[in-house]
């Protein structure tokens, strides 16, 4: 019985798709970390620093989380559109955008929540 050679082109496409998905996940993890850090600063350092400094750090971290979520979608879409007409399985583009925009929306809500809590 003869063993056939693997299709190196298909394997390379699979590796490219997997690398794109890992990069998307890394951007999402970065955004979640920035969001958690911003909320943590706002919640747990209230007695340790002046209010203006606390708000500045929290707002910058949450804005960075929004940027990371949007960058995740943009980076994934950029490569996905280049390989869309090839025969390769990938995470659907609508799902990636939905996840990214929902997380960015949660970050915006967290930002409003911080301002409501402080200026109430």
């Amino acid at each position: 019985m003869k063993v056939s050679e693997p299709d190196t082109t298909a394997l390379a496409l699979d590796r490219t798709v997997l690398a794109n998905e890992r990069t998307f996940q890394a951007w999402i993890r970065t955004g979640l970390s920035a969001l958690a850090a911003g909320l943590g600063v706002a919640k747990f350092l209230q007695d340790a620093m002046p209010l203006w400094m606390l708000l500045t750090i929290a707002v910058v971290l949450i804005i960075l989380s929004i940027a990371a979520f949007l960058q995740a979608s943009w980076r994934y879409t950029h490569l996905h559109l280049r390989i869309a007409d090839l025969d390769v399985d990938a995470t659907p583009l609508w799902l990636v955008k939905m996840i990214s925009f929902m997380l960015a929306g949660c970050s915006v809500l967290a930002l409003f929540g911080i301002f409501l809590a402080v200026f109430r």
Side-chain angles (χ1 to χ4, degrees):
M1 177 157 82
K2 182 179 177 183
V3 176
S4 64
E5 293 287 322
D7 183 9
T8 56
T9 303
L11 292 175
L13 284 173
D14 288 341
R15 284 191 301 271
T16 301
V17 168
L18 291 172
N20 195 28
E21 290 174 353
R22 279 192 307 272
T23 303
F24 172 75
Q25 293 167 359
W27 279 106
I28 295 296
R29 279 191 308 272
T30 301
L32 288 172
S33 297
L35 177 60
L39 292 174
V41 164
K43 176 69 176 174
F44 298 114
L45 296 179
Q46 291 175 353
D47 299 331
M49 56 180 51
L51 182 62
W52 68 268
M53 189 182 298
L54 179 84
L55 279 177
T56 302
I57 294 170
V59 166
V60 166
L61 286 168
I62 293 175
I63 288 173
L64 286 176
S65 76
I66 294 168
F69 295 140
L70 296 178
Q71 178 72 1
S73 176
W74 184 84
R75 293 282 303 182
Y76 186 88
T77 302
H78 181 71
L79 181 66
H80 186 81
L81 292 177
R82 291 176 60 196
I83 62 172
D85 30 330
L86 302 174
D87 184 30
V88 63
D89 291 331
T91 304
L93 198 52
W94 67 267
L95 182 61
V96 167
K97 288 187 176 194
M98 182 185 71
I99 290 169
S100 295
F101 290 124
M102 284 180 66
L103 288 170
C106 289
S107 293
V108 169
L109 289 175
L111 199 57
F112 285 133
I114 287 175
F115 281 114
L116 286 176
V118 168
F119 296 116
R120 187 170 49 137

